[in-house]
Structures are given as C-alpha cells and as structure tokens.
Amino acid sequence: MMEKTNLKEIFHLKGFEKSYGYAQAVKVGNLLYVSGTVSIDDEGKPRAENDMQVQVQYIYMKIFVYLLRHLD
C-alpha cells in the first residue's frame, strides 16, 4: 500500500504497519529511505527464530523488493 503526500511517498508493505505508524520505505524526491527491517512474515510473526543466516537472507530479499518496486 502507498500513501502520497505533496513531497513524499510512504510505503506500507504489510497490513499492520500503518496502524503502528511504521513504514518500510519513504521516497522523497529521488531518494528512497529504507527503515530498519526485521525478519517477520506478513502477519507479524518471526521467521527463522533460531537461524540468523536465514533471517539476514530474508531481510536482504525484502530490501531488494523495496528497491525494485521504487525504481523510476
């Protein structure tokens, strides 16, 4: 989901983010700011709780998806 204001676009990729005042990414002009990202699924449940390598791979994949979605 995306919100547009006059100067920025706010991206909520998981349904529960907006209710917590959290956004995965905010685009201002030509810059995309990616927030802190954790290894949780679409329902807010942790992924691979005891496997740091899998968590990091999942987080990098999420950041990659944000970047792909917001390329001009």
Side-chain angles (χ1 to χ4, degrees), residues 1-4 9-26 35 42 66 69-70:
M1 176 178 22
M2 178 176 61
E3 292 177 57
K4 274 196 171 190
E9 297 175 57
I10 301 170
F11 303 94
H12 305 281
L13 298 181
K14 298 186 185 316
F16 59 86
E17 291 173 355
K18 189 173 181 178
S19 63
Y20 289 102
Y22 177 78
Q24 289 287 332
V26 176
S35 67
D42 290 339
Y66 309 151
R69 288 184 182 183
H70 304 91

Side-chain angles (χ1 to χ4, degrees), residues 27-51:
K27 185 175 181 182
V28 180
N30 291 330
L31 296 175
L32 179 67
Y33 297 92
V34 178
S35 67
T37 302
V38 296
S39 184
I40 56 173
D41 64 18
D42 290 339
E43 289 141 15
K45 296 180 182 170
R47 291 181 49 110
E49 289 185 64
N50 298 312
D51 192 333

Side-chain angles (χ1 to χ4, degrees), residues 32 61-72:
L32 179 67
M61 184 269 311
K62 286 175 31 176
I63 293 171
F64 180 72
V65 168
Y66 309 151
L67 294 173
L68 285 178
R69 288 184 182 183
H70 304 91
L71 289 175
D72 286 337

